[in-house]
Amino acid sequence: MKLVTFRIDEWPATHAGVVRDDEIITLAYPTLLELLRDPNGLANAREANGEAFAFEEVQLLSPIPDPPSVRDFYAFEQHVKSARAKRGLDMIPEWYEIPTFYFTNNSEIYGHNQPVPYPVGSNELDIELEIACVIGRDGKDIPVEEAASYIAGYTIMNDWSARDFQRKDMKLNLGPGKGKDFATSLGPWLVTPDELAAYRTGSAASERYDLTMLARVNGKEISRGNFKDIYYSFPQMIAWASRNARLRAGDVLGSGTVGTGCLLELGTEVHPWFRRGDILELEIEGIGVLRNKVV
């Protein structure tokens, strides 16, 4: 299934929906977060027979507009190596020991086709091409062998980054801070794992998906990678994130940037830092396209 949270002009409230063919069928939940909190929510979505709308009639929001938390990992080795090499740094040996992450802002979430404000005071706006999973039920100390069963679905994630802010943040050894917390885009919808089964190999720690990931600016491709090249699988990330901590339905876990998935890695000789008016499209095979305009 492809699941959405959407709004239409006639309805001020938001609604969850399921995509069928070229229509969105309305579900009896205000957002997907409420659907996931209902143990019967996904089953209800499969049997939905609510009012139908064409895509041009609705405004898609982030699939989870108000996630309880957003963790962003650092799980693609190529990105980590390349980004560090650009700064004259070697790999950190500890990176190979744990799938590290940071918490980002869960209040500045944008959906497909929603304009993203340029961060005031920055001159180095970047993107990060990522895939994210959304947790479908609560769990703590989740074994890696069981972790995949906690995934409600996958979506595209753009971890917008103000690199000049981030550069100062990181010198203080406490995380990205203001370099990241102004915007995260998610969308266009949540794709349940069964929809991607044909792309999957392995299980638990070895689970991988052969999904092409690419980024375009104003219609020009600037990045291409593949989800299968990830070093840490989502089951490994879930097991680590849930150690001594409860994951909740609706929590978002980002993969970190796929190799070549940002200007920090590619270099501004490939494309200058993004500006107001630029249209960024992130596409992942089997999921779709996440599009935002910088304003």
Side-chain angles (χ1 to χ4, degrees):
M1 288 187 295
K2 292 182 175 69
L3 299 166
V4 299
T5 299
F6 71 97
R7 177 186 291 122
I8 63 172
D9 291 339
E10 291 80 3
W11 295 348
T14 63
H15 289 267
V18 58
V19 177
R20 287 190 188 153
D21 299 322
D22 295 324
E23 293 183 320
I24 294 174
I25 310 299
T26 306
L27 299 171
Y29 302 91
T31 72
L32 289 187
L33 180 56
E34 282 72 19
L35 180 148
L36 294 179
R37 286 172 171 166
D38 179 355
N40 298 314
L42 291 173
N44 292 339
R46 294 186 187 280
E47 300 173 0
N49 58 0
E51 189 171 0
F53 294 94
F55 278 102
E56 56 268 24
E57 296 181 274
V58 310
Q59 175 191 354
L60 292 180
L61 306 177
S62 165
I64 311 292
D66 45 358
S69 70
V70 182
R71 292 170 173 84
D72 200 13
F73 283 78
Y74 200 34
F76 284 93
E77 183 182 26
Q78 180 185 346
H79 168 68
V80 180
K81 276 187 173 180
S82 298
R84 291 185 64 80
K86 287 274 185 180
R87 292 174 283 159
L89 301 173
D90 295 327
M91 278 294 283
I92 302 171
E94 289 81 4
W95 184 85
Y96 296 98
E97 297 176 10
I98 59 168
T100 191
F101 65 89
Y102 71 94
F103 284 96
T104 193
N105 192 347
N106 61 344
S107 69
E108 297 297 322
I109 304 295
Y110 295 84
H112 178 65
N113 275 336
Q114 287 189 290
V116 172
Y118 195 98
V120 175
S122 175
N123 292 299
E124 298 181 10
L125 179 62
D126 200 357
I127 60 169
E128 294 201 347
L129 169 57
E130 306 189 20
I131 186 169
C133 81
V134 174
I135 299 299
R137 56 192 174 96
D138 292 9
K140 184 176 180 179
D141 294 321
I142 301 167
V144 68
E145 294 80 12
E146 300 175 13
S149 69
Y150 284 79
I151 298 174
Y154 297 91
T155 191
I156 304 170
M157 178 169 169
N158 189 347
D159 176 30
W160 297 88
S161 303
R163 297 303 187 189
D164 41 1
F165 292 174
Q166 185 183 4
R167 197 175 301 117
K168 291 182 180 180
D169 286 338
M170 301 310 290
K171 287 181 180 179
L172 301 176
N173 296 317
L174 197 59
K178 297 307 294 182
K180 298 281 191 175
D181 77 346
F182 59 93
T184 299
S185 296
L186 298 168
W189 36 58
L190 186 70
V191 179
T192 53
D194 58 292
E195 290 262 326
L196 301 175
Y199 302 95
R200 185 174 61 232
T201 60
S203 62
S206 66
E207 182 179 274
R208 298 291 185 276
Y209 287 82
D210 184 3
L211 302 175
T212 299
M213 304 172 65
L214 59 90
R216 292 184 292 268
V217 55
N218 302 324
K220 176 187 175 183
E221 182 178 319
I222 59 170
S223 170
R224 182 175 288 257
N226 196 297
F227 180 31
K228 70 180 180 182
D229 296 328
I230 201 163
Y231 186 88
Y232 290 107
S233 65
F234 272 116
Q236 288 174 299
M237 290 184 249
I238 290 169
W240 179 250
S242 70
R243 182 179 292 186
N244 305 315
R246 182 170 59 94
L247 298 186
R248 295 165 293 178
D251 281 348
V252 174
L253 277 63
S255 64
T257 314
V258 69
T260 78
C262 64
L263 294 180
L264 178 68
E265 187 180 343
L266 293 168
T268 52
E269 61 272 18
V270 172
H271 193 279
W273 300 114
F274 300 116
R275 292 288 180 252
R276 294 170 181 85
D278 284 342
I279 297 174
L280 281 302
E281 293 178 307
L282 307 188
E283 181 173 352
I284 299 181
E285 184 179 4
I287 297 180
V289 177
L290 172 62
R291 181 185 304 107
N292 297 102
K293 183 177 182 178
V294 182
V295 299

